[in-house]
Amino acid sequence: MIGRRQFLVVGAVGAAAGVAAACTKAQPQAAKSTSTDVSLAAGETDTDLGGVKVHTWTYGNQLPAREIRLKKGERLRAELTNAMPQDVTVHWHGIALVNDMDGVPDLTQAAVPNGQKFTYDFVVPDAGTYWFHSHVGTQLDRGLYGPLIIEDPNEKVEYDDELVVVVDDWIDGTGTNPDQVLENLRKTGMKPMSPGGPGVTSTSPLGEDGGDVTYPYYVINGRVPTDPQVVDYRAGQRIRLRVINAGSDTAFRVAVPKTSMKVIQTDGYPVVPVQANSVILGMGERVDAIITVNESLPVIAAPEGKQGHAQLNMRVNNAPSAVNVDDFVASVRKEAPLDTATLSPTPDVTLEAKAPDQVIDARLSGPVNGYTWPVNGILYNPPNDGVPVKPNQRVRIRFINESMMFHPFHLHGHTFQVTAADARSREAPANVAKARKDTVLVPPKQTVEVEFDTNNPGRWISHCHNTYHLEAGMAFFLEYSD
Ligand SMILES: [Cu+2]
């Protein structure tokens, strides 16, 4: 077992190396990498979701937070300030960064109290669609999130424009808030939602339980479907959708009427392209897909196992859309969606096949003892109970879901390869490598196996990306030094 002090040393060395390798934007010619400076002011704000006014917490008074975009290999410096009544952090979801910049309270840093600041400073090694969000308490179910897009100047993907689509389930400021939601779940130990709601269909790969929370709204880029964001395009434009599920308790099926999506990436990593009519995304997952827009059409996200939908409108020639959205949502629910875990990685990101040096079983269960969600019978207890691994080894994690609810499981600091996904293996043979991902859907009563190489020392949390399950203990962490 490695002590806390050693980990702080590891982190400090990594950060110092990052500083030495980078310089500021003012003198880019002198450096291997340029840097981008942003400020993230966490605070309370009044936000208009499109006729629905809510008081919530955001970074920079904006929902989602202003997009951060930089190039692969560049350095990001983000100064977080806190004007909120709770401590806060920023986690950079999916980025293989130095451990002490990972934003996990009690594991990689002390959360930042009201009136204090913390500067995140790290190099982004990999291109793709990522995002950032608070990792404290139930704050992800407020408005503390935003897109993080890393471009690869050498990427060979053709499109004319891109559209970042951040999907979320919304309850904060609607007469309750996420802390009260969690308190109610703990009090009742039961879910307020009856199983088998109208959103449940026989095509659901996630079973009959859509989640623990009933949300009044679903939003895309902070707007409800009755007054959605509108983006103008010319007929025939090829649009790269970068879809991010920033929800806390909701998986979404994403689809565009009359349109086949060419799926090219998931969780920032390229896949062998496939065409899909709809893609299911668990909380924390992302998908990049290219579509051609020939007429005004909505982008739709249908919450799995729940009623309603989220929407964004793509407009061509200022024309209204002819699509009946309710009919389209119903049709999307009838057809099996693409699960990104079944995709094949491109050869350049496929892990070399080798036997694992270590296998870690993570048995997921709950709710037990009221409202707790343990892993291997243990509730997350940082910085205790870390799982030791060794550097430069192949590690396999088997996520064994013994519960009746789906869990999108996320590993920080690494992008694993899905190697087996139970029922879904029928679609892609078990011995064929599947997508590189940092978050994977683990359906009820199924086992999903992932593998990765221990090439980024530190203390890395692995957790369910359901905000309430994480707060109720569904996490563990790996630890290693180099
Ligand atoms: Cu979960």
Side-chain angles (χ1 to χ4, degrees):
M1 182 71 92
I2 297 151
R4 181 182 184 89
R5 198 165 52 81
Q6 275 175 279
F7 271 102
L8 293 173
V9 171
V10 167
V13 169
V19 171
C23 80
T24 64
K25 253 183 178 168
Q27 38 188 212
Q29 71 283 1
K32 284 160 69 179
S33 60
T34 55
S35 77
T36 296
D37 292 329
V38 300
S39 59
L40 293 172
E44 300 184 66
T45 190
D46 291 309
T47 298
D48 186 351
L49 305 177
V52 178
K53 292 190 167 63
V54 294
H55 187 77
T56 188
W57 303 350
T58 60
Y59 298 115
N61 298 320
Q62 214 173 309
L63 181 75
R66 182 192 300 234
E67 171 186 296
I68 300 175
R69 183 177 285 259
L70 56 170
K71 292 191 172 52
K72 176 181 171 172
E74 286 185 346
R75 172 184 171 193
L76 177 63
R77 279 187 307 212
E79 188 187 70
L80 170 68
T81 55
N82 184 4
M84 308 193 312
Q86 292 179 2
D87 297 356
V88 71
T89 65
V90 184
H91 167 57
W92 311 90
H93 185 120
I95 304 290
L97 41 48
V98 289
N99 188 237
D100 60 353
M101 296 290 124
D102 197 39
V104 180
D106 306 320
L107 197 63
T108 69
Q109 71 169 103
V112 181
N114 177 286
Q116 303 288 305
K117 57 174 71 171
F118 183 91
T119 299
Y120 293 90
D121 186 341
F122 55 92
V123 170
V124 292
D126 302 303
T129 300
Y130 300 94
W131 61 303
F132 56 95
H133 59 80
S134 171
H135 220 286
V136 175
T138 62
Q139 289 174 11
L140 174 54
D141 210 12
R142 299 188 191 246
L144 291 159
Y145 62 79
L148 170 62
I149 310 300
I150 315 294
E151 297 178 346
D152 179 354
N154 300 317
E155 187 185 57
K156 298 197 170 41
V157 177
E158 289 194 1
Y159 55 90
D160 302 307
D161 205 346
E162 59 177 77
L163 176 61
V164 176
V165 177
V166 186
V167 187
D168 191 17
D169 45 16
W170 193 273
I171 197 164
D172 192 29
T174 64
T176 184
N177 65 53
D179 288 333
Q180 290 172 359
V181 170
L182 178 61
E183 201 181 305
N184 285 339
L185 288 167
R186 283 184 168 146
K187 259 189 216 146
T188 61
M190 298 279 296
K191 26 195 81 168
M193 173 184 281
S194 59
V200 173
T201 71
S202 57
T203 63
S204 180
L206 303 183
E208 295 193 344
D209 191 341
D212 296 352
V213 181
T214 303
Y215 286 85
Y217 301 105
Y218 298 98
V219 295
I220 290 180
N221 296 343
R223 307 284 291 195
V224 295
T226 44
D227 187 9
Q229 183 184 2
V230 178
V231 186
D232 284 303
Y233 294 112
R234 295 187 305 279
Q237 274 192 303
R238 295 163 303 177
I239 311 302
R240 176 185 192 155
L241 303 176
R242 294 181 181 266
V243 188
I244 301 164
N245 183 350
S248 275
D249 182 68
T250 310
F252 289 92
R253 295 185 190 204
V254 180
V256 178
K258 308 181 190 178
T259 305
S260 173
M261 301 181 284
K262 183 185 179 188
V263 175
I264 58 167
Q265 289 189 0
T266 181
D267 295 4
Y269 274 64
V271 294
V272 176
V274 301
Q275 296 290 146
N277 290 331
S278 69
V279 179
I280 191 163
L281 289 183
M283 298 81 84
E285 288 188 294
R286 289 90 65 209
V287 70
D288 285 35
I290 295 175
I291 59 171
T292 302
V293 187
N294 288 312
E295 60 177 293
S296 296
L297 292 171
V299 176
I300 297 291
E304 192 74 358
K306 300 180 180 182
Q307 283 180 288
H309 73 277
Q311 180 171 346
L312 176 151
N313 286 354
M314 300 182 295
R315 188 167 60 185
V316 175
N317 294 334
N318 223 16
S321 168
V323 171
N324 180 315
V325 169
D326 289 340
D327 288 352
F328 180 68
V329 170
S331 74
V332 167
R333 293 188 185 283
K334 286 194 190 107
E335 191 184 337
L338 174 76
D339 180 339
T340 56
T342 63
L343 294 167
S344 300
T346 57
D348 55 314
V349 300
T350 304
L351 290 185
E352 163 205 2
K354 71 190 242 193
D357 300 297
Q358 186 175 352
V359 178
I360 296 166
D361 281 357
R363 294 182 180 276
L364 318 177
S365 62
V368 292
N369 299 327
Y371 189 79
T372 65
W373 293 86
V375 179
N376 296 330
I378 301 171
L379 300 179
Y380 178 57
N381 180 32
N384 302 309
D385 304 326
V387 178
V389 296
K390 294 190 181 74
N392 306 310
Q393 293 206 320
R394 175 67 53 87
V395 172
R396 175 184 295 170
I397 303 179
R398 303 198 303 174
F399 296 111
I400 304 162
N401 188 351
E402 298 174 338
S403 79
M404 293 304 291
M405 188 175 166
F406 74 94
H407 305 286
F409 241 84
H410 175 41
L411 172 64
H412 286 207
H414 306 75
T415 298
F416 49 66
Q417 180 146 40
V418 181
T419 52
D422 248 25
R424 290 173 287 178
S425 304
R426 285 195 290 270
E427 294 150 35
N431 59 346
V432 173
K434 298 173 190 63
R436 292 288 299 277
K437 290 182 68 59
D438 54 59
T439 310
V440 65
L441 277 167
V442 188
K445 300 287 179 188
Q446 291 194 27
T447 296
V448 171
E449 298 187 7
V450 303
E451 290 185 10
F452 60 97
D453 291 325
T454 48
N455 53 12
N456 191 15
R459 295 164 141 181
W460 300 107
I461 189 174
S462 179
H463 65 90
C464 176
H465 223 283
N466 182 308
T467 298
Y468 298 94
H469 293 185
L470 170 58
E471 250 331 80
M474 192 166 252
F476 60 99
F477 70 95
L478 309 178
E479 55 183 341
Y480 63 107
S481 54
D482 52 7

